[in-house]
Amino acid sequence: MKISARNVLEGKIIAIKKGATTAHVSLDVNGTTVMAAITNEAVDELKLEVGMKAAAVVKSSDVMIAVDE
Amino acid sequence: MKISARNVLEGKIIAIKKGATTAHVSLDVNGTTVMAAITNEAVDELKLEVGMKAAAVVKSSDVMIAVDE
Amino acid sequence: MKISARNVLEGKIIAIKKGATTAHVSLDVNGTTVMAAITNEAVDELKLEVGMKAAAVVKSSDVMIAVDE
Amino acid sequence: MKISARNVLEGKIIAIKKGATTAHVSLDVNGTTVMAAITNEAVDELKLEVGMKAAAVVKSSDVMIAVDE
Amino acid sequence: MKISARNVLEGKIIAIKKGATTAHVSLDVNGTTVMAAITNEAVDELKLEVGMKAAAVVKSSDVMIAVDE
Amino acid sequence: MKISARNVLEGKIIAIKKGATTAHVSLDVNGTTVMAAITNEAVDELKLEVGMKAAAVVKSSDVMIAVDE
């Protein structure tokens, strides 16, 4: 599958915290931590585990820009 | 201002392409390109220019996880 | 690639309208039209064309529920 | 109320799973399952129940396109 | 139609700027300006015009919180 | 930090409800309640408390427009 989302940041899973319905999955991407809030179902279906290679995928329209004042 | 968004990826602006209402701003973040689709107004108000330091800000609920099949 | 997004609706591209930076791509999914607003770059990179099979992908946290009053 | 969101997919609720704050509501839309992650409060206020008719509403800017490689 | 989105901010349209595919619609909500980026098609279908009453609708998962440092 | 998001609605926190991973934070903005679904981590890091001044921040592409039928 190829996807239209412009941002695919490759990294490694460093933490998974499942909640009641929503899980937080943290990746190390070149030394920066990226956190995703996804469904518990997705964690199970993709068999996500700490140490696995994975990518953070973000649609451009969900990215904001910030600058120092 | 401090924001609740968990992902603040610091980088440098490498390209700005304004459309009729929507602009595409690309950052280099540790060698990876991150693209943001924001309003032309925001580009003007923040005085964004190629070469400036800037950060890509993404809410965790807008991050997906992908793995190789 | 397998993605955490829970909604992958398979269909066929019935219209593509490129703007200055943002394109609208419409799919027929079992007789229902689904519209995506994506970047022109994504349209080019994925070589999207009317008549192609494609899927609309949506993260669960971007889906709302509506009921009749 | 009429809304600007381009995608209103009519179906029937087939599952509701409430978490601590976030609920997952699944609809059957013409044989395809569509999952929404919404607040528990919304489930209560809209009195959502399995078997009810409901629609999945998605803004076009939250829809991505995927194609087979 | 009743929708699960928790935030429905009632106001009046004060500006509409159509781009090639994306339009910016600004509302006055109790003296604060709220801007929406929606499709040109939605502007046409809802017959939006400056001076009309309208509401800005936002899903809770798309709202961030910021505090002064 | 200055951010590209066009909507920064200043108000006061009136309720915080933490779930297992996701928290709901409600602000009073000029008499209107605005609800945000953010991570528990963000609530802790920003030291959010009922009674604090805070702003709801929303990207324009996450705002829809609704009108009465």
Side-chain angles (χ1 to χ4, degrees), chain A residues 1 13 16 18 21 23 25 38-49 52, chain B residues 65-69, chain C residues 1-8 10 57-58 60, chain D residues 26 33 35:
Chain A
M1 191 174 80
I13 299 176
I16 297 175
K18 276 190 173 179
T21 49
V25 178
I38 64 175
T39 60
N40 286 349
E41 285 86 344
V43 172
D44 294 341
E45 196 189 290
L46 270 59
K47 299 189 176 67
L48 300 182
E49 286 178 30
M52 273 175 71
Chain B
I65 299 291
V67 293
D68 282 336
E69 277 181 292
Chain C
M1 191 175 80
K2 272 181 81 172
I3 198 158
S4 60
R6 295 296 79 199
N7 301 298
V8 180
E10 313 225 337
V57 178
V58 185
S60 298
Chain D
S26 300
T33 299
M35 187 194 278

Side-chain angles (χ1 to χ4, degrees), chain F residues 2 5 10-12 17 20 22-23 27-29 32 34-36 39 41 47 51-54 60-61 64 69:
Chain F
K2 272 182 80 173
E10 312 224 339
K12 205 166 150 172
K17 184 186 177 187
T22 308
L27 299 187
D28 175 81
V29 177
T32 304
V34 175
M35 187 194 277
T39 60
E41 285 87 344
K47 299 191 175 66
M52 274 175 71
K53 285 187 180 182
S60 298
S61 54
M64 291 161 285
E69 276 181 292

Side-chain angles (χ1 to χ4, degrees), chain D residues 1-65:
Chain D
M1 193 175 80
K2 273 181 78 172
I3 197 157
S4 60
R6 294 297 78 200
N7 301 299
V8 179
L9 308 173
E10 313 225 338
K12 203 168 153 172
I13 299 176
I14 54 172
I16 298 174
K17 184 186 175 186
K18 276 189 173 180
T21 49
T22 307
H24 291 170
V25 178
S26 300
L27 299 187
D28 176 83
V29 176
N30 294 331
T32 304
T33 299
V34 175
M35 187 194 278
I38 63 175
T39 60
N40 286 349
E41 285 87 344
V43 172
D44 293 341
E45 197 189 288
L46 270 59
K47 300 191 174 69
L48 301 182
E49 286 177 30
V50 171
M52 273 175 70
K53 286 188 181 181
V57 178
V58 185
K59 198 172 184 303
S60 298
S61 53
D62 289 325
V63 181
M64 291 161 286
I65 298 290

Side-chain angles (χ1 to χ4, degrees), chain E residues 27-59:
Chain E
L27 299 187
D28 175 83
V29 176
N30 295 329
T32 304
T33 299
V34 175
M35 188 195 276
I38 65 176
T39 60
N40 285 349
E41 286 86 344
V43 172
D44 293 342
E45 197 189 289
L46 270 59
K47 299 190 176 68
L48 300 182
E49 287 178 30
V50 172
M52 273 177 72
K53 286 188 180 180
V57 178
V58 184
K59 198 173 183 303

Side-chain angles (χ1 to χ4, degrees), chain C residues 3 7-8 10 19 27 29 33 37-38 44-45 47-48 50-52 54 56 66:
Chain C
I3 198 158
N7 301 298
V8 180
E10 313 225 337
L27 299 188
V29 177
T33 299
I38 64 175
D44 293 342
E45 197 189 290
K47 299 190 175 68
L48 300 182
V50 171
M52 273 176 70

Side-chain angles (χ1 to χ4, degrees), chain F residues 1-58:
Chain F
M1 191 176 81
K2 272 182 80 173
I3 198 158
S4 60
R6 294 296 79 199
N7 301 298
V8 180
L9 309 172
E10 312 224 339
K12 205 166 150 172
I13 299 177
I14 53 172
I16 297 174
K17 184 186 177 187
K18 276 190 174 180
T21 49
T22 308
H24 291 169
V25 178
S26 299
L27 299 187
D28 175 81
V29 177
N30 294 329
T32 304
T33 300
V34 175
M35 187 194 277
I38 64 175
T39 60
N40 285 350
E41 285 87 344
V43 172
D44 294 341
E45 197 189 289
L46 270 58
K47 299 191 175 66
L48 300 182
E49 287 177 30
V50 171
M52 274 175 71
K53 285 187 180 182
V57 178
V58 184

Side-chain angles (χ1 to χ4, degrees), chain A residues 9-15 24-37 55-58, chain B residues 6-9 29 58-60 63-65:
Chain A
L9 308 172
E10 313 224 339
K12 203 166 151 171
I13 299 176
I14 53 172
H24 291 170
V25 178
S26 299
L27 300 187
D28 176 82
V29 177
N30 294 329
T32 304
T33 300
V34 175
M35 188 194 277
V57 178
V58 185
Chain B
R6 295 296 79 199
N7 302 298
V8 179
L9 308 172
V29 177
V58 184
K59 198 173 184 303
S60 298
V63 181
M64 292 161 285
I65 299 291

